[in-house]
Amino acid sequence: MTTILRPWICDGTPKNGLNYPRCLGSHGEVENFTDICPFCLLPREAGKSVFTGVDITAVGKNEGYKSRVSQSENVFSEWFLLLRDKGLMGVWLFLIMGIFLGVILANLSRMISHEAVVTVEKGNFLISSFSGDMEDFFSQGEKIFFEVNPLKQMAADAFRQGDWQSAIALYNRYIEDNGNDYEAQIYRQNAIARSRGNPITLATTIRVDKENNTDILSPLARYQQEFNQQNQDKNQRLLEIVIVNYQGANMDKLSQNILNTNDIIGILDLHFDQNSYTTLSIYENQGLGIISPINFQWHQTENKLQYITPENREKVYLNIVTNTLLNYANSLNSSPNVILFYDSESDYSIKFKSSILENLPQWQGNLIIDIDVSQNANPEQILQTLGGANTIVMALGENRLSQAMAISRENNYFLPILVSEDLFNNNTLIQGKETVDQWVMALPWGYSPDVFANEQIIPRWSEDLIYDIFKETITAPCEGNMCGLAINAHRGNFEQLLQEGIKLSHDYNRQDSLLHIPLVQIVPDFEGLSDTGYRFEIKTIDSDH
């Protein structure tokens, strides 16, 4: 049974006439059970009791309250004189006992009703929808992923018990000395949202072994607090952000658990790795909207993030990849003149070739010759007689690695070689060794995380951009049947909102907004960390200027 707590009323204005410098300001009347109001940080003594209009903890601290007690004592003195009349004593005692018994029963009934509310809330957890082995990867505020601290753990324990007011107060105390703990800030707002009931729930993903995860939470925590503080109307639903840890999880099972949790309206996955790539298609196929750098592209002219449909995602990726490669070639030799090797038996090779040819003119480049390796037993021989080229592009897959290596040997480091991301794998290093030295390629979408110790190497969206995306998703004005989540909070509306694109209030430059596909180069491993003697190294274009 939940401990019965004595409620009190606070509206952000001290009722005892004292000044509280740390008070956050006035707000609508709220009923509290803890000693500190979570909305303004006023103590219990500055509020008023639900039952008597003034809290009894103020006795001895508030002189005004003492004077009222003295007046009450005068009244009771008059009653005592009447009771000295023995004829009336029995009647008076009966009446007084009846009055006191009535007051006690009325107050007890009200307290029990409050206790019932708290007890019902205890069962209101999304985690109840999760299978037992998946609970450890998910938290509304009852589990700590970062910065484990005794006080923070006490707040999480109160949250787990459904004691929202205690969780709010404890998270408040912890945040006073740990203002940069964005996980705790989110959990505090979640407790506030749960205390009001029926929150607007979104999920965001983390990787607990990455030190910079909390920076992703910062803009989400900032807007969640702003939104929740602005909406004091008890009928307005507040924002809740649940945190899902992808690190070490069975992604098929975890994603299915999230899909089965109907209260989760959508997902913000700001990472770019194998897990993000895998789950993206799972969520989209089941109608759960997801905001990710993988499925949104910046449209400068419209100042919006445009959703990339699954059928167009490969084309968008190829466009970005080939432009990035040609930009690199242009930084080495202004106006790249290209010898292009491709495989007509591979659909992807043909698409890669087409994308190179489409983007070559914008770099003032030229195609010297294209050679189909499937129709040429010794394609490398063309390098012996052909002149005028300054760049080799090999749009070849792993099944053509031996021919790519033959071309590389014939080239003998003379021209820079740019290759398809299909050759980004350990087998290229194992078989190629010194032959593949200095090859440059782009990272594929959903690349295998075991290739790099640092799995998250794609530049993330800026914190300001994440903040604006989150804000616009919640507050977008209605257009037809589509509205922001503050007005229409359900999965279908969220998915439609994303497909229409996210209109932003600020302009963002390429550095912040576009999906970048970084380049990698095969280089010797002088540190001896690789069995092959070669490794992949991030290649930045700026470093060559």
Side-chain angles (χ1 to χ4, degrees):
M1 180 66 68
T2 306
T3 302
I4 298 177
L5 302 173
R6 182 160 40 82
W8 59 287
I9 299 295
C10 180
D11 61 5
T13 304
K15 301 297 186 257
N16 56 1
L18 299 180
N19 182 35
Y20 295 88
R22 297 179 66 181
C23 177
L24 299 179
S26 61
H27 54 77
E29 282 196 353
V30 294
E31 192 170 320
N32 295 314
F33 289 85
T34 55
D35 290 334
I36 301 293
C37 175
F39 291 93
C40 65
L41 302 183
L42 280 179
R44 179 189 291 270
E45 66 188 52
K48 61 182 181 180
S49 170
V50 169
F51 307 129
T52 64
V54 60
D55 200 286
I56 61 173
T57 56
V59 176
K61 298 181 181 180
N62 188 323
E63 294 301 320
Y65 180 76
K66 281 186 174 180
S67 65
R68 286 193 291 275
V69 173
S70 298
Q71 292 169 6
S72 299
E73 288 173 350
N74 290 336
V75 173
F76 275 103
S77 296
E78 296 175 5
W79 285 10
F80 178 72
L81 291 173
L82 290 172
L83 288 175
R84 293 178 64 183
D85 186 334
K86 295 182 179 180
L88 299 175
M89 182 177 293
V91 175
W92 280 111
L93 287 176
F94 179 79
L95 289 174
I96 291 171
M97 289 178 65
I99 292 170
F100 274 102
L101 183 60
V103 171
I104 290 171
L105 290 176
N107 286 348
L108 182 60
S109 173
R110 186 162 185 172
M111 286 182 173
I112 290 173
S113 69
H114 284 293
E115 181 194 13
V117 170
V118 173
T119 304
V120 169
E121 290 286 356
K122 280 190 175 184
N124 191 12
F125 281 102
L126 303 185
I127 201 169
S128 61
S129 302
F130 276 51
S131 58
D133 57 343
M134 289 291 104
E135 289 185 5
D136 291 340
F137 298 96
F138 177 95
S139 179
Q140 295 170 258
E142 76 289 346
K143 188 181 296 87
I144 303 300
F145 288 122
F146 306 106
E147 304 294 337
V148 178
N149 171 285
L151 183 57
K152 189 178 179 183
Q153 187 59 55
M154 288 173 61
D157 292 341
F159 196 108
R160 179 176 289 276
Q161 294 299 316
D163 186 353
W164 312 125
Q165 300 298 331
S166 294
I168 295 166
L170 289 166
Y171 274 126
N172 274 337
R173 286 175 53 193
Y174 170 77
I175 291 170
E176 286 177 7
D177 297 323
N178 300 274
N180 291 328
D181 191 329
Y182 307 116
E183 179 190 27
Q185 291 180 30
I186 287 174
Y187 291 160
R188 173 181 61 181
Q189 292 301 321
N190 288 353
I192 292 172
R194 284 276 146 190
S195 69
R196 180 172 293 186
N198 194 28
I200 302 169
T201 303
L202 293 168
T204 190
T205 67
I206 60 166
R207 314 294 189 272
V208 294
D209 64 341
K210 301 295 184 292
E211 294 180 359
N212 57 353
N213 267 280
T214 51
D215 291 340
I216 293 177
L217 301 180
S218 169
L220 303 182
R222 180 158 53 104
Y223 181 69
Q224 182 191 24
Q225 178 171 321
E226 290 178 12
F227 180 85
N228 287 356
Q229 286 183 341
Q230 291 169 1
N231 291 281
Q232 296 300 326
D233 182 352
K234 292 183 178 180
N235 294 321
Q236 173 62 56
R237 300 169 66 181
L238 301 183
L239 278 177
E240 176 183 52
I241 301 173
V242 297
I243 298 177
V244 183
N245 173 30
Y246 274 9
Q247 190 66 36
N250 179 316
M251 296 314 301
D252 288 335
K253 292 181 66 175
L254 184 59
S255 57
Q256 194 57 53
N257 274 265
I258 291 174
L259 287 168
N260 293 340
T261 307
N262 293 326
D263 285 345
I264 296 179
I265 296 171
I267 299 176
L268 296 95
D269 184 356
L270 305 175
H271 292 77
F272 191 119
D273 58 22
Q274 180 68 36
N275 288 338
S276 297
Y277 187 76
T278 299
T279 55
L280 176 64
S281 59
I282 296 175
Y283 296 137
E284 288 181 329
N285 289 339
Q286 296 297 319
L288 180 61
I290 178 169
I291 297 176
S292 165
I294 302 175
N295 65 342
F296 276 90
Q297 183 184 29
W298 179 249
H299 276 211
Q300 187 76 32
T301 55
E302 299 181 40
N303 198 34
K304 68 189 295 187
L305 282 174
Q306 188 66 49
Y307 177 73
I308 308 170
T309 61
E311 55 270 19
N312 290 329
R313 206 159 289 156
E314 183 180 73
K315 182 177 181 180
V316 170
Y317 168 78
L318 280 174
N319 182 61
I320 297 172
V321 163
T322 52
N323 261 314
T324 305
L325 287 170
L326 291 172
N327 184 22
Y328 173 71
N330 188 67
S331 71
L332 300 179
N333 301 289
S334 183
S335 301
N337 297 318
V338 174
I339 300 174
L340 177 60
F341 295 91
Y342 74 101
D343 179 6
S344 62
E345 295 179 356
S346 165
D347 289 340
Y348 188 75
S349 179
I350 293 173
K351 293 175 183 177
F352 194 97
K353 170 195 170 184
S354 298
S355 187
I356 286 285
L357 297 180
E358 286 175 9
N359 289 306
L360 197 56
Q362 67 178 294
W363 301 100
Q364 289 76 50
N366 299 287
L367 176 67
I368 302 300
I369 190 173
D370 57 346
I371 301 143
D372 182 1
V373 299
S374 67
Q375 304 298 319
N376 193 324
N378 302 107
E380 69 278 4
Q381 293 179 354
I382 193 69
L383 300 179
Q384 299 172 3
T385 58
L386 195 64
N390 58 26
T391 304
I392 294 174
V393 175
M394 295 195 291
L396 304 177
E398 188 174 4
N399 64 320
R400 297 292 184 179
L401 177 58
S402 60
Q403 289 168 289
M405 289 169 58
I407 295 168
S408 186
R409 279 191 293 267
E410 183 65 37
N411 178 61
N412 195 27
Y413 297 101
F414 183 66
L415 299 178
I417 295 179
L418 314 180
V419 304
S420 159
E421 74 283 356
D422 275 1
L423 294 173
F424 176 75
N425 54 66
N426 280 324
N427 189 50
T428 298
L429 300 180
I430 294 169
Q431 294 191 34
K433 297 184 180 179
E434 68 276 359
T435 305
V436 300
D437 185 22
Q438 302 305 304
W439 283 10
V440 174
M441 66 198 73
L443 284 174
W445 269 359
Y447 63 91
S448 176
D450 60 4
V451 176
F452 284 99
N454 179 13
E455 184 177 330
Q456 180 67 43
I457 59 178
I458 308 292
R460 288 197 183 99
W461 284 337
S462 70
E463 290 189 18
D464 287 341
L465 177 61
I466 295 171
Y467 172 90
D468 271 359
I469 291 172
F470 192 28
K471 178 180 179 180
E472 296 300 329
T473 301
I474 302 300
T475 62
C478 292
E479 295 183 6
N481 296 326
M482 183 183 64
C483 300
L485 295 183
I487 300 174
N488 190 1
H490 64 80
R491 285 187 178 182
N493 177 62
F494 183 66
E495 185 182 24
Q496 184 181 1
L497 191 68
L498 300 188
Q499 290 178 356
E500 292 296 324
I502 303 172
K503 185 78 173 178
L504 300 179
S505 55
H506 297 88
D507 190 15
Y508 291 91
N509 58 38
R510 183 183 179 94
Q511 180 82 21
D512 284 335
S513 309
L514 275 178
L515 173 61
H516 286 284
I517 307 295
L519 302 179
V520 293
Q521 186 172 41
I522 299 175
V523 297
D525 179 19
F526 296 116
E527 297 178 1
L529 301 178
S530 169
D531 294 337
T532 65
Y534 289 84
R535 62 185 178 87
F536 292 105
E537 178 181 78
I538 295 297
K539 186 71 174 176
T540 57
I541 297 174
D542 291 339
S543 66
D544 295 311
H545 290 286

